Amino acid sequence: MKILVLNGSPQKDDGTNIILRRLTEALNASALGAEADKFDLAAKKISIGHCGYCGKCKSISGGECIFNNTTSVFIRKVFVADTVVIGTPVYSWGISSQLEIAVKKLFAEAVELQRRSRRLMLLTEDVEEHDKKTSTKLDGYFRFVSEHLRWNYLGCVPFPAVEGKSGACESEIRDKIVAVREKLA
């Protein structure tokens, strides 16, 4: 089972990245036979440009985006994945602009992505109390994304914020990672 763990955070070393790195390690170390691959949207080498839905990737360039970015790498990783786990911090009442662009790339490839069933799970890092309400709204948004792509939506798992928390937070994060791993089995 191939699992793509997509880090939607615009920051390279934040709590979302820590959670997703631990999850990826746990998935690869488990007896599930899973092959988890983490893809960071914030990494300097990762540049997913704006999609203008021009269709050039389908008509003249053999499936490659005509703009010089890593869109094709991202889409290829989605195509080979059986499950996509998207992680995002919750701030400004939504997701990062990088993740929004990545989701739009999925919509641009919807016809091809609908040909094979996949699973989608959302993980949020909730920092403030109002973030819990936003996580609920994002759950609905990603449920819609799954329906549009004809994927099986596994739900939203909110994680506590990593930065500045005590050891109690560490045990909660560990427990949630175990629960996510079991849900993906």
Side-chain angles (χ1 to χ4, degrees):
M1 167 178 31
K2 292 188 182 231
I3 301 171
L4 176 61
V5 179
L6 178 61
N7 181 7
S9 175
Q11 300 176 29
K12 288 181 6 181
D13 295 317
D14 68 344
T16 302
N17 189 38
I18 292 168
I19 291 166
L20 296 177
R21 183 175 57 241
R22 290 179 187 172
L23 174 64
T24 303
E25 290 167 358
L27 290 169
N28 284 326
S30 73
L32 295 174
E35 181 184 323
D37 182 21
K38 187 165 154 289
F39 189 89
D40 290 300
L41 294 176
K44 284 185 180 180
K45 62 184 178 186
I46 304 303
S47 170
I48 297 180
H50 173 72
C51 181
Y53 302 103
C54 66
K56 299 279 195 258
C57 59
K58 294 173 186 58
S59 62
I60 64 169
S61 61
E64 301 289 321
C65 182
I66 62 170
F67 299 106
N68 189 14
N69 59 40
T70 54
T71 297
S72 299
V73 173
F74 166 66
I75 291 298
R76 276 195 299 270
K77 287 183 178 288
V78 173
F79 269 102
V80 300
D82 301 302
T83 302
V84 178
V85 176
I86 296 176
T88 183
V90 175
Y91 59 89
S92 301
W93 304 281
I95 60 177
S96 69
S97 58
Q98 292 90 340
L99 182 54
E100 186 66 39
I101 290 169
V103 170
K104 289 183 187 302
K105 292 291 185 188
L106 296 178
F107 283 151
E109 298 289 337
V111 171
E112 288 80 13
L113 289 171
Q114 290 170 347
R115 292 185 178 155
R116 183 166 71 86
S117 182
R118 291 172 179 82
R119 302 180 309 166
L120 176 66
M121 177 183 277
L122 175 66
L123 308 180
T124 59
E125 182 193 12
D126 296 339
V127 179
E128 303 290 337
E129 187 58 36
H130 69 268
D131 291 343
K132 290 178 182 27
K133 292 178 183 175
T134 303
S135 284
T136 301
K137 290 179 182 174
L138 291 178
D139 182 50
Y141 174 71
F142 281 95
R143 185 174 308 280
F144 166 76
V145 169
S146 293
E147 289 171 4
H148 181 71
L149 296 173
R150 298 183 187 146
W151 292 1
N152 181 21
Y153 185 59
L154 301 176
C156 175
V157 179
F159 278 76
V162 172
E163 300 170 322
K165 294 289 184 174
S166 65
C169 179
E170 282 297 316
S171 64
E172 183 180 355
I173 289 171
R174 230 180 356 263
D175 292 346
K176 287 191 178 239
I177 286 174
V178 168
V180 167
R181 187 180 64 203
E182 289 172 0
K183 194 168 190 175
L184 294 174

